[in-house]
Amino acid sequence: LAPTVLQKIKPLDGSPDCTDSDQLAARRYLADQGISLATAIAAHIGCLRHYCITKNSEDKREQASSVFPCIAYVNYLNGQPINAKYRSCDPSNPQPSPQEEKTEKPVYTKCWSQDSPTTPCAPYNIDCINPLLVTTEENIQRLIITEGEKDTLSLLEAGYQYVISMPNGAASE
């Protein structure tokens, strides 16, 4: 990835005193997905304000969107960042006030974008099976391949270490 791309992405941090709106939006989104901040930080998740793409609900064509708070799935190969996929973490339904009882999780917009010098992107979290990073004492018994980055994070949260996602998700058929 170009240094200019990486400069836009803010790594998530665990500071309890955080006031950055992008960090807080990313934390809320991840928490609503059942992903801990510790897992997200270990997986190199970042955040930023980014222009994303949305699909027309009627004909599924990509269309212009706007700038949203996003999480950034930064993918590494041989310890180097090689691509980044951005997913909006902006709730599309209004948040209840603190006085209101929160009964439902928010529904998030489905906007996305990516910076990748290759097409398709390499599978997310591919470095987990990098022979230079896996110690010789380890024996990879199982590699789990998921449909997307969020699924990979969910399995990492559940304690599975060797999980990658398909480069462009699953086919809609």
Side-chain angles (χ1 to χ4, degrees):
L1 274 180
T4 54
V5 171
L6 287 173
Q7 290 171 350
K8 295 185 290 185
I9 300 170
K10 300 178 270 190
L12 290 180
D13 77 56
S15 169
D17 302 325
C18 178
T19 58
D20 180 88
S21 62
D22 296 335
Q23 290 266 344
L24 296 174
R27 289 179 185 191
R28 181 185 62 232
Y29 172 81
L30 291 163
D32 285 345
Q33 307 305 314
I35 308 300
S36 70
L37 186 56
T39 295
I41 291 170
H44 307 290
I45 300 297
C47 63
L48 71 163
R49 293 249 162 203
H50 193 68
Y51 181 83
C52 290
I53 301 165
T54 189
K55 289 191 178 187
N56 181 304
S57 60
E58 292 176 16
D59 61 15
K60 305 297 184 200
R61 284 184 301 155
E62 292 179 358
Q63 59 189 25
S65 189
S66 58
V67 175
F68 290 102
C70 293
I71 61 170
Y73 296 96
V74 181
N75 195 18
Y76 289 78
L77 183 61
N78 297 323
Q80 299 297 314
I82 56 170
N83 58 38
K85 288 187 177 182
Y86 313 109
R87 304 281 185 219
S88 168
C89 57
D90 182 53
S92 59
N93 63 344
Q95 293 292 308
S97 69
Q99 295 80 18
E100 295 176 20
E101 182 179 336
K102 186 174 180 180
T103 58
E104 294 182 26
K105 288 183 182 178
V107 175
Y108 290 91
T109 55
K110 293 185 178 183
C111 299
W112 66 276
S113 182
Q114 69 184 26
D115 281 311
S116 179
T118 63
T119 301
C121 289
Y124 177 68
N125 201 38
I126 191 68
D127 235 10
C128 75
I129 59 172
N130 183 336
L132 300 174
L133 301 176
V134 176
T135 65
T136 57
E137 294 82 35
E138 287 183 90
N139 186 5
I140 300 174
Q141 297 289 324
R142 175 183 299 151
L143 172 65
I144 301 172
I145 302 171
T146 69
E147 186 273 335
E149 295 87 4
K150 189 167 58 170
D151 298 329
T152 298
L153 280 180
S154 296
L155 287 166
L156 291 171
E157 181 69 30
Y160 294 94
Q161 187 174 359
Y162 303 108
V163 184
I164 63 174
S165 78
M166 294 299 297
N168 290 324
S172 60
E173 293 83 32

